[in-house]
Amino acid sequence: MAQPRLPTLGDGGDLTAGAERRLGDSIIRELYRDPDYIDDPVLVEYVQTQWLALLAAARARGELSPELDERFAWEVLLGRDRSVNAFALPGGYLGVHLGLIGVVASRDELASVLAHELSHVTQRHIARLMAQQSRQTPLMIGAMILGALAASKSPDAAQALAIGGQALVVQNQLNFSRDMEREADRVGYSLMAPAGFAPQGFVGMFDKLQQANRLNDNGSWPYLRSHPLTTQRIADMQSRLPPGASTLAPAPALEHAMVSARARVLSRPGVDVLRQWQAEPRSTGFAAQPAARRAGALYAAALAASQLRDHAGARALLVPLQAVVQGDAPAQRQVQLLAAELALAAGDVQAARQALSAGGGAASPDRPTLLLRTQVLLRAGQAQDMAGPLQTWLATHPRDAGAWQLLASVWQAQGQVLRSVRAEAEAHAARYDYAAAVDRFKAGQDVARKGSAPADFVEASIIDTRLRAVEALAREQAQQAAER
Ligand SMILES: [Zn+2]
């Protein structure tokens, strides 16, 4: 991982919300460059929706100060990693490994982890931790966080660090105190029902952690390392369930089973495992399994087949999957998206378009549909109509680098060179890579000056304005790096 460039915050002491956000921005700028960072629209949407529902509950319950609400990013970043982990970062960012999504049995279990991590943020645990360690510069803290994240992704790396005597230091510095953990459990639990989740998700997740603990399998469960499951935590949680309440969460939804299966397939389990998953629907007794189990297995089988380039096999698996999700709208939408994705992977643009139009051509499509539709139409050479919807989306989601990148491709395909270069620049700026953004904006100015394209004065003046703004940000970033 590249050397992090982190802002200075003065001599420690109080960490303002703005300073914490800047620290978070610097950390995630490095994470965006991590080869394991993955912007999978389906998984991002699923986790982000839960994160925002919990955030709204925290706001309504007065757990979230208006200042944090406004200043923090409240953004989820996914890592394509099979280990089970989630971590709150400074500034309202949440990192989630695909391994966690792949292992939770219900949306409520996933929400319990998000609610706990969100509460570390809203209760300013990160700021308090940093204030306690005021002798450490923010650079050291940021480097420590990045180092610990890298170590958590690979048990080998963690061991190598341990040999050097560093791992314990890193872990101890990052770990919240037991009191903070209990507070995050308590506040997180209180958000569950108001956010629309079954509080039993906490119990289910604790059971999972306990089982993993028994197997002593800490290497693939970094979350367990950073969140030791004490009898106190378990007792606290059980006492919170209303007397007589079932400890069982509601049956898992079809949609969750499929999204969880998607996370497992995308976490690169290897060819042998993909083959096993592809074969699972043919195993004896499969038809007698509960619907959610079958939906998850069929989804995994179809996606695995596609990854193994067995496109006909993938398409065939969609038929029984469509039958299982019949009458369940969220699950049907996931199957439509999957059908389009599989058709696109097979190069069957016509089938991909059909699959997407089955969902109805909503005027303001959700992000997975918008991005997938753009990719399909780009392949068909007919993406000109997508510039409008992408710009509409970006007006309310200006930090969506993936959407900027696709808009750049759409404009490129239309021969709108100047606009395409500007969109590329915005994609870099959205990931806080201001130096790269400045490069692209300047390339845009060159294009405008050379006048090889028809003069576009409006576009050229937008580029000039944006270049000045981003240059100022780039200077600030460079200065912060130099001050350290
Ligand atoms: Zn925690």
Side-chain angles (χ1 to χ4, degrees), residues 116-117 120 176 181 184 227:
H116 173 102
E117 295 302 316
H120 278 314
F176 298 116
E181 291 303 342
H227 287 83

Side-chain angles (χ1 to χ4, degrees), residues 202-231:
F202 259 92
V203 179
M205 195 62 213
F206 275 29
D207 282 347
K208 275 208 166 55
L209 291 170
Q210 211 167 13
Q211 275 170 32
N213 210 7
R214 259 189 232 117
L215 295 170
N216 202 13
D217 187 25
N218 281 6
S220 55
W221 287 72
Y223 192 72
L224 201 50
R225 269 208 308 269
S226 59
H227 287 83
L229 198 64
T230 60
T231 43

Side-chain angles (χ1 to χ4, degrees), residues 373-391:
R373 185 173 288 154
T374 307
Q375 284 169 307
V376 170
L377 292 175
L378 273 169
R379 187 78 70 89
Q382 296 171 349
Q384 61 278 2
D385 290 344
M386 294 313 293
L390 281 169
Q391 284 174 285

Side-chain angles (χ1 to χ4, degrees), residues 100-111:
L100 174 68
I101 308 171
V103 86
V104 285
S106 66
R107 66 198 277 275
D108 310 298
E109 285 185 9
L110 181 58

Side-chain angles (χ1 to χ4, degrees), residues 290-309:
R293 178 90 186 73
R294 276 181 288 142
L298 285 162
Y299 189 104
L303 192 54
S306 174
Q307 295 214 333
L308 294 166
R309 310 228 186 288

